[in-house]
Amino acid sequence: MAARYEDLGHGVYCIDTDLYRAQMAACYLIREGDAVAFVDTGTYHTIPWLMAVLAELGLSADNVRYVIPTHVHLDHAGGAGELMARCPNATMIVHPKGALHMIDPSKLQAGATAVYGAEGFAKDYGKLIPVPAERVIAAADGYAVELNGRCLTFYDTPGHANHHGCIFDASSRYCFTGDTFGICYREFATAKGAWIFAPTTPVAFSPNEWQQSLDKLEALQPSAMLLTHYGQVTDVAGLFPKLRASIEALSNLALTLKNAPEGRVDALKEQIFLTWLEEIAIHGVNLPEGDIRELLRVDATLNAQGLDVWLQRLAKAKT
């Protein structure tokens, strides 16, 4: 299958990583002259497509200067090591709390294999390739690099994950948000615009920190947000309050089940679905409930697991 990608203007391209289905996960290529940066990479299986996009743009692996995973969750950074191995002139820019996992991904691989099984991990994610430490920069908040004179700045944005950063491109005023600006699947867009929700994936959901991260992004006054899930959204001012409301609604939902008996994850998952179904109906989406549940099945499961871990953490903090 040929790589699917979209020109977003300003030398920025959105590339579909085809994880699970089309338009579920993306990564981005930024071009300035003969220099390239990738923000997020998809999985090991994605990398041949990234090479194909480079070739179609008249470039090669030698033109790649930076590989910038927003965080080390595998849909964002699973292919980062393989991409670095293919791009001899590239430097990795990554959050300090994620750098060691890129240099030695054995814990990431063990954890993911425990969740998905060896066969499932290989099918969806392939394998994780270590990145030599001397090619990794652990980026502090505000760390900036130049791509042929084009300034890219890394901002520490915890909330979804404590190893999450967003990248602001001063040239386009695009903000590459990973998961910090939520999820906007294109299937749920209507005349009212994009429908957005917060991904409360395990294991470091922190609603207060997330709201503070949104304060930081809002202050940048970006022209567009480029989401891993999925693509470019331009109604930035309209989506900020909706994402803030989603973070609050999901955390409040979890708190109502903090004393639930066994089966809390399943209860959380169903309550998340009911919340989303109500929001989607109000948003004017005309899809059967079965299709909606299937499109959101993975996210509802991960959100429920993440909220359950958050409740466990809250309970421990009180003891």
Side-chain angles (χ1 to χ4, degrees):
M1 183 181 70
R4 293 187 297 268
Y5 64 99
E6 179 182 0
D7 185 348
L8 302 180
H10 302 281
V12 177
Y13 299 83
C14 174
I15 305 169
D16 191 340
T17 69
D18 202 45
L19 178 67
Y20 302 132
R21 59 179 173 84
Q23 295 190 338
M24 184 174 186
C27 62
Y28 294 92
L29 182 156
I30 307 169
R31 178 180 187 175
E32 187 64 31
D34 64 353
V36 170
F38 281 103
V39 180
D40 284 343
T41 66
T43 71
Y44 178 88
H45 301 310
T46 308
I47 305 310
W49 297 346
L50 303 191
M51 297 296 102
V53 173
L54 284 171
E56 288 189 36
L57 296 177
L59 300 163
S60 74
D62 290 341
N63 296 106
V64 179
R65 300 289 180 266
Y66 299 107
V67 174
I68 315 174
T70 56
H71 58 305
V72 301
H73 290 166
L74 298 187
D75 50 335
H76 299 259
E82 175 65 8
L83 183 58
M84 288 290 293
R86 295 194 187 203
C87 299
N89 301 320
T91 298
M92 176 175 284
I93 310 294
V94 66
H95 194 286
K97 292 181 179 177
L100 288 178
H101 291 294
M102 293 289 91
I103 295 166
D104 178 7
S106 57
K107 288 185 179 178
L108 283 181
Q109 181 142 349
T113 302
V115 172
Y116 300 108
E119 185 176 340
F121 177 84
K123 175 179 177 293
D124 291 330
Y125 299 106
K127 54 186 175 180
L128 304 181
I129 305 299
V131 180
E134 62 272 16
R135 297 181 66 193
V136 177
I137 293 175
D141 183 49
Y143 182 84
V145 296
E146 286 197 355
L147 184 71
N148 262 359
R150 181 174 186 162
C151 184
L152 305 177
T153 305
F154 184 93
Y155 289 97
D156 182 18
T157 55
H160 167 75
N162 62 12
H163 48 82
H164 199 298
C166 294
I167 294 84
F168 184 69
D169 171 25
S171 177
S172 63
R173 301 201 65 79
Y174 289 168
C175 189
F176 300 82
T177 63
D179 287 341
T180 295
F181 202 68
I183 289 178
C184 290
Y185 291 134
R186 293 185 174 181
E187 292 90 343
F188 301 110
T190 68
K192 294 183 179 181
W195 173 67
I196 195 168
F197 69 90
T200 61
T201 309
V203 294
F205 172 59
S206 177
N208 292 336
E209 286 187 302
W210 201 336
Q211 297 285 4
Q212 292 166 10
S213 292
L214 293 180
D215 292 341
K216 185 181 294 186
L217 297 187
E218 200 163 14
L220 296 172
Q221 298 183 312
S223 64
M225 298 301 210
L226 276 55
L227 284 60
T228 300
H229 312 288
Y230 177 93
Q232 181 187 57
V233 295
T234 54
D235 180 19
V236 177
L239 289 171
F240 264 111
K242 293 177 181 178
L243 178 57
R244 291 182 186 278
S246 178
I247 295 168
E248 185 175 0
L250 288 167
S251 55
N252 287 340
L253 182 159
L255 291 172
T256 66
L257 292 168
K258 66 179 180 179
N259 297 319
E262 286 187 34
R264 184 167 67 186
V265 171
D266 289 337
L268 282 165
K269 181 177 177 180
E270 184 57 24
Q271 287 302 309
I272 289 167
F273 265 131
L274 294 175
T275 298
W276 287 348
L277 287 168
E278 181 179 356
E279 291 178 7
I280 286 167
I282 293 170
H283 196 65
V285 175
N286 186 24
L287 286 174
E289 180 177 328
D291 291 352
I292 293 170
R293 284 181 175 264
E294 180 56 29
L295 286 167
L296 294 173
R297 176 178 53 82
V298 171
D299 294 292
T301 300
L302 290 172
N303 269 33
Q305 292 169 346
L307 290 173
D308 183 63
V309 171
W310 177 61
L311 290 174
Q312 293 177 40
R313 202 163 63 245
L314 291 179
K316 287 181 181 178
K318 290 181 179 179
T319 58

